[in-house]
Amino acid sequence: MRAPVYILKADGGTLPIEKSVEFPVETIFSGPAASTIGALALIPEGQTSVVVDIGGTTTDLALILSGKPLIASKGAKLGNFLTHVRAFAVRSIAVGGDSIVKVRETENGLRMITIGPERAGPAYCMGGEEPTPTDALRMLGLIEVGNPERANEAITVVASSLRKSETETASLIVETTAEMIAQAVREMFLEWEQEPAYRIWEVLQKKKERPENVVGIGGGAKGLISVVAEKLNAKPIIPDHSEVGNAIGAAVARPTLTLNLRIDTEQKVYSVAEEGEIASLKSTDIGNFNRMRSEEAEALATKLLRDRAKRFGISEYADEAEIVSSEVFNIVEGWFTAGRLFDVSMQISAGLIPEWNRGEKA
């Protein structure tokens, strides 16, 4: 293929590979970001949905509020560590279609199943060596992948250990897997509801409610999403091409860019956090620094973002940049105002490339 190469970032945007190598940390959580953008591309515009991407090893969770993916206000979180890398508010859990199904005995002598977190290659019905939720789904006829005889063989082994019928065992595996995912969504809502953007969305809705849709993405979505959605009292949606939804997300994501400008009129300097350099205000078109207004600060931020977008090779998206926040603080010395601090944040937010919006979805 002879085409420009872009790398997906945690905030659902892309960067040309030449620039991406300068900021490798921004590619963390790009997998969940791809699933989120894929769901955004495959469902009707403006909907509010929980995105559940069920893969072979993990399940990724994200949230779309009225057509906009929820951004984590404190950046990507790795364990208990905040990275401050701009990212969607996502979570990955260690359960998927190829997770190993095991039977263990409790202290009371009861036998129960566990799902994952280990994975030993593909499902048994796909040539693997261990029983998995995919085998249970295949046996129940909820999916059509893999060898049905091998799926039955895998479930029979588990059923024998549980002393249950094959159908009971397959249903129990599906039920247990779906409950693990549903419980993770419930726990994630406690985090999502603390996000400022979520609270604003609730205010705009004029009532407290959770999203009604659960969108299934990934190879493991069919057969599981309906059960997960039922547990969450939500409507299951499995869009066309959901199996490759994350690949579609990576293909149709447009570039994103962030700029945080600080201006200090007392010191007569400004700095862009993403550039890490301090420059003199005298190099700008601003006249009287002492009487500088917010409009002039925002104009400078817009110019700097355009310049940065040009350097990154994404100038065509600069017109879509928006001001996220704009604040001004007085610097007081003694009884007089000695200067002002202006903080302006701008961004080209995540979205879909124009070609996709024009209906070229083949």
Side-chain angles (χ1 to χ4, degrees):
M1 293 181 63
R2 296 182 180 276
V5 178
Y6 290 81
I7 302 296
L8 197 66
K9 303 187 297 178
D11 68 352
T14 61
L15 272 183
I17 190 169
E18 297 81 5
K19 286 296 180 181
S20 186
V21 295
E22 299 177 19
F23 309 96
V25 70
E26 292 193 9
T27 64
I28 61 174
F29 292 153
S30 55
S35 306
T36 308
I37 295 296
L40 194 66
L42 295 174
I43 63 176
E45 291 184 52
Q47 290 200 355
T48 294
S49 309
V50 176
V51 180
V52 180
D53 180 2
I54 306 175
T57 308
T58 61
T59 293
D60 299 325
L61 309 174
L63 185 61
I64 297 175
L65 297 175
S66 299
K68 292 185 178 294
L70 180 63
I71 292 286
S73 58
K74 296 182 179 179
K77 185 177 181 182
L78 294 176
N80 293 322
F81 297 97
L82 295 172
T83 65
H84 290 285
V85 173
R86 182 174 171 81
F88 291 154
V90 299
R91 174 186 286 188
S92 296
I93 59 173
V95 59
D98 296 340
S99 297
I100 298 175
V101 176
K102 295 181 180 179
V103 177
R104 70 179 182 87
E105 190 170 326
T106 66
E107 295 178 354
N108 299 327
L110 298 175
R111 296 190 177 190
M112 58 183 297
I113 61 169
T114 60
I115 313 292
E118 302 89 352
R119 176 181 184 268
Y124 195 85
C125 67
M126 303 287 286
E129 300 179 354
E130 299 285 349
T132 68
T134 297
D135 297 304
L137 292 167
R138 184 66 180 94
M139 182 187 169
L140 293 172
L142 297 174
I143 58 175
E144 297 180 358
V145 301
N147 186 308
E149 287 75 20
R150 281 185 63 87
N152 292 346
E153 182 182 336
I155 299 305
T156 298
V157 172
V158 180
S160 177
S161 298
L162 285 175
R163 299 170 187 162
K164 294 180 180 289
S165 71
E166 285 80 3
T167 302
E168 282 182 302
T169 299
S171 298
L172 179 61
I173 292 171
V174 172
E175 177 77 12
T176 303
T177 305
E179 177 56 32
M180 292 174 68
I181 296 172
Q183 182 57 31
V185 173
R186 296 186 196 105
E187 293 172 358
M188 193 62 187
F189 261 112
L190 298 178
E191 295 184 21
W192 285 333
E193 290 172 350
Q194 303 307 310
E195 291 291 344
Y198 187 97
R199 294 183 177 183
I200 292 173
W201 176 79
E202 279 193 331
V203 171
L204 295 175
Q205 299 303 304
K206 298 182 180 178
K207 58 183 177 179
K208 186 177 179 63
E209 64 177 22
R210 289 186 173 179
E212 297 180 352
N213 299 330
V214 174
V215 180
I217 298 292
K222 288 183 177 178
L224 277 174
I225 283 299
S226 59
V227 185
V228 173
E230 183 179 358
K231 291 178 178 295
L232 296 171
N233 296 317
K235 175 185 175 183
I237 296 178
I238 301 179
D240 293 339
H241 314 301
S242 62
E243 299 91 341
V244 291
N246 53 0
I248 290 174
V252 303
R254 72 181 188 184
T256 58
L257 197 63
T258 302
L259 182 138
N260 289 282
L261 171 68
R262 163 157 284 198
I263 299 173
D264 185 335
T265 63
E266 181 190 29
Q267 300 295 324
K268 297 180 176 55
V269 297
Y270 71 90
S271 62
V272 174
E274 291 74 16
E275 303 290 346
E277 297 181 356
I278 298 176
S280 172
L281 278 175
K282 295 178 181 179
S283 63
T284 68
D285 295 331
I286 298 172
N288 191 334
F289 306 139
N290 295 327
R291 295 184 180 180
M292 187 175 177
R293 298 170 299 161
S294 295
E295 293 81 357
E296 293 174 297
E298 293 167 7
L300 177 58
T302 300
K303 177 183 181 302
L304 293 172
L305 185 136
R306 288 180 178 278
D307 292 343
R308 194 162 193 255
K310 184 176 181 180
R311 293 197 301 274
F312 277 57
I314 56 174
S315 293
E316 64 270 32
Y317 294 94
D319 288 340
E320 299 187 37
E322 57 187 8
I323 295 174
V324 179
S325 65
S326 180
E327 299 179 304
V328 57
F329 307 93
N330 288 331
I331 302 173
V332 178
E333 290 186 1
W335 300 98
F336 302 97
T337 299
R340 282 180 155 189
L341 292 176
F342 292 86
D343 287 326
V344 182
S345 294
M346 294 191 68
Q347 68 177 22
I348 301 173
S349 58
L352 310 177
I353 58 176
E355 291 83 354
W356 184 263
N357 289 334
R358 286 201 294 267
E360 298 175 11
K361 299 184 181 182

